[in-house]
């Protein structure tokens, strides 16, 4: 029956493997070690790629486990500077802007192993060493798919190697609450934090500028999180609407009342003699996926 | 009788010894000749030329290809069909085996043609000496595109490359700084790419300048001042908006009413452009505040912490 549906076309409901995955991944690996963060030293990017695909090719795409990626993470591991870990839920693009490609903070996406796979998609086929470019299983179709297995292992690795003051940025406007009680942070990061290496956990709960205030420090799911971490023996602090992150959100809504700078009153007088035409309303900030690269570009620029 | 035999034997021995000696001498000469020849061969392959800048980025090919395919997958700009391998070969051909101080626009023309694409109107964002801030902004606000957010700029931003006449033709040790020679690979490439980026701009264009520089926000010697300004097309551009950003807590050296902006205005008005200027454009200033949270210029007026 499976063969028949394969002949028919798409086997799974999800998008297929990203085109040119090998070139993109190997390119990112070298981009990272040569441009973005050369401090990690020399890595064999071809070896990394081999370890990566061997985790899931020629296997049942519904039976890939985090441990299958163990060699990849062993090879791509590098130190995460103390006090720079930043965990997050429901605000990936915001957190990427905030971390500024590992210069302020080093999120999972700013590590070599995170950078390698961010925003990409992959899966293999049973009884074939090829990648499936047509379709891949969604999480609903199989829990143990290759992409989720990778990110589970990535999250565990990232948490295990975090130290000093660790931060977590939560979205106070997220439906269902700022802290998802089942999620990567809850299931694959908190349990793998090393208590003896961590001095403090700082929680930031930030609402969307025009979003509802569903959760805050000391309430609802955030209270659940605070209690859980304290029970585990951590020193925990929590701040609502942490200003530096607010500024980022304000890019989209600079005229909103929440975004008025106390020093902005003299701004009008600073304008030059030429009349300034800023135009009317601002477009909503469109966070389209962007490759962390990079880069940039590449990196650290 | 015995004396005749004895002398014959002596003669035989002599011949034998002489033969052996000649053979040994020949062997020694051959060895000496061989070492001299190989020595000369080693002297014949020269070291690459020495320059003051960093060498070609290692694994340049893999990085460029990876970025090329990544950009195509991202779909940020409508590109049509692009062949990444062809683009790499074209870049390599532009500089390999060549003296990196003799680069010409002709070297890069094929690459420019393969990688160029139109830029939607009202999106072009130029910059001068605001590299970090302008790219932080364009990464956060996808409405704007700097040169480094276009396909060509994205592939090569932050990378270094140059050729060398000796094998293998790529210099990984050092590359010329722009100041070392007029026709350096890097400066020829980026000036050409900047020219094309300026020519492609339409509608309202923006430029982010640095008001904390003592010598003035606008310099005619910068790429913006010497290339981009002169390749903007007044028939396609409705307005040029200048954002003059001063560092938070940094020197307040220049402003919209300062001399360097007056100079820029003169150059642009002479070419029939409409110009506006704004000091410390708010959204970008907010971005600066992300990285200077404690500064008095960066405290938010309202800080509501109501419980849900």
């Amino acid at each position: 029956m499976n063969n028949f549906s394969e002949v028919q076309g798409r086997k799974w409901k999800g998008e297929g493997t990203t085109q040119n995955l090998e070139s993109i991944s190997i390119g990112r690996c070298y981009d990272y070690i040569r441009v973005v963060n050369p401090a990690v030293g020399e890595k064999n990017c071809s070896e990394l790629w081999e370890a990566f695909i061997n985790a899931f090719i020629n296997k049942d795409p519904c039976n890939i486990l985090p441990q299958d990626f163990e060699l990849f993470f062993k090879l791509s591991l590098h130190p995460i500077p103390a006090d720079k870990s930043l965990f997050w839920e429901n605000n990936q693009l915001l957190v990427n802007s905030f971390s500024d490609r590992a210069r302020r903070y080093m999120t999972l996406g700013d590590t070599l192993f995170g950078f390698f796979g961010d925003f990409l998609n992959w899966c293999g086929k049973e009884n074939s060493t090829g990648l499936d470019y047509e379709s891949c299983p969604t999480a609903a179709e199989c829990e143990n798919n290759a992409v989720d297995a990778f990110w589970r292992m990535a999250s565990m690795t990232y948490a295990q190697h975090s130290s000093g003051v660790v931060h977590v940025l939560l979205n106070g406007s997220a439906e269902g609450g700022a802290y998802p009680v089942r999620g990567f942070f809850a299931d694959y990061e908190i349990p793998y934090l090393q208590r003896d290496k961590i001095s403090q956990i700082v929680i930031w709960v930030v609402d969307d500028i025009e979003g509802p205030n569903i959760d805050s420090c000391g309430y609802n799911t955030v209270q659940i999180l605070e209690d859980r971490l304290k029970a585990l023996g951590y020193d925990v602090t929590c701040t609502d609407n942490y200003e530096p992150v607010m500024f980022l959100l304000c890019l989209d809504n600079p005229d909103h009342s929440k975004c008025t700078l106390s020093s902005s009153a003299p701004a009008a007088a600073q304008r030059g003699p030429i009349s300034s035409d800023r135009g009317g309303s601002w477009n909503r900030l469109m966070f389209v996926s962007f490759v962390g690269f990079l880069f940039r570009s590449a990196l650290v620029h | 009788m015995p004396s005749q035999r004895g002398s014959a034997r002596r003669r035989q021995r002599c011949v034998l010894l002489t033969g052996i000696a000649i053979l040994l001498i020949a062997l020694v000469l051959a060895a000496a000749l061989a070492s001299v020849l190989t020595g000369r061969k080693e002297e014949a392959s020269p070291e690459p030329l020495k320059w003051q800048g960093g060498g070609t980025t290692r694994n340049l090919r893999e990085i460029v290809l990876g970025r090329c395919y990544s950009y195509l997958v991202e779909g940020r700009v409508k590109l049509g069909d692009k062949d990444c391998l062809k683009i790499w070969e074209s870049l390599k051909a532009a500089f390999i085996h060549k003296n990196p101080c003799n680069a010409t626009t002709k070297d890069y023309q094929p690459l420019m043609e393969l990688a160029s694409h139109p830029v939607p109107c009202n999106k072009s964002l130029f910059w001068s000496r605001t590299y970090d801030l302008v790219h932080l902004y364009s990464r956060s606000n996808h409405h704007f595109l700097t040169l480094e957010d276009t396909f060509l700029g994205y592939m090569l931003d932050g990378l270094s490359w140059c050729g060398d006449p000796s094998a293998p033709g790529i210099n990984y040790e050092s590359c010329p700084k722009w100041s070392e020679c007029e026709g350096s690979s890097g400066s020829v490439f980026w000036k050409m790419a900047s020219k094309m980026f300026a020519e492609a701009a339409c509608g309202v264009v923006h430029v982010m300048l640095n008001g904390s520089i003592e010598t003035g926000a606008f310099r005619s010697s910068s790429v913006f001042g010497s290339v981009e300004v002169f390749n903007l097309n007044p028939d396609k551009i409705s307005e040029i908006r200048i954002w003059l950003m001063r560092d938070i807590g940094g020197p307040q050296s220049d402003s919209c009413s300062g001399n360097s902006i007056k100079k820029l205005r003169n150059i642009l008005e002479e070419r029939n452009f409409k110009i506006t200027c704004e000091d410390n454009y708010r959204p970008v200033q907010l971005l600066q505040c992300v990285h200077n949270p404690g500064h008095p210029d960066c405290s938010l007026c309202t800080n509501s912490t109501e419980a849900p």
Side-chain angles (χ1 to χ4, degrees), chain B residues 161-181:
Chain B
W161 65 90
C162 65
D164 193 88
S166 61
I170 299 180
N171 192 340
Y172 290 100
E173 313 296 316
S174 62
C175 285
K177 284 186 167 173
W178 289 27
S179 50
E180 278 185 84
C181 46

Side-chain angles (χ1 to χ4, degrees), chain A residues 263-272 278, chain B residues 246 278-280 282 285:
Chain A
S263 62
S264 66
Q270 282 170 16
R271 288 182 189 177
R278 272 170 59 190
Chain B
R246 291 189 282 278
E278 183 166 348
D279 285 294
N280 293 319
R282 275 294 303 290
Q285 190 181 42

Side-chain angles (χ1 to χ4, degrees), chain A residues 259-260 262 270 282 296 301, chain B residues 131 157 279 281-283 299 301:
Chain A
C259 298
T260 317
S262 56
Q270 282 170 16
W282 286 97
R296 193 140 309 127
H301 293 124
Chain B
Y131 184 89
D157 189 25
D279 285 294
Y281 174 61
R282 275 294 303 290
S299 53
C301 260

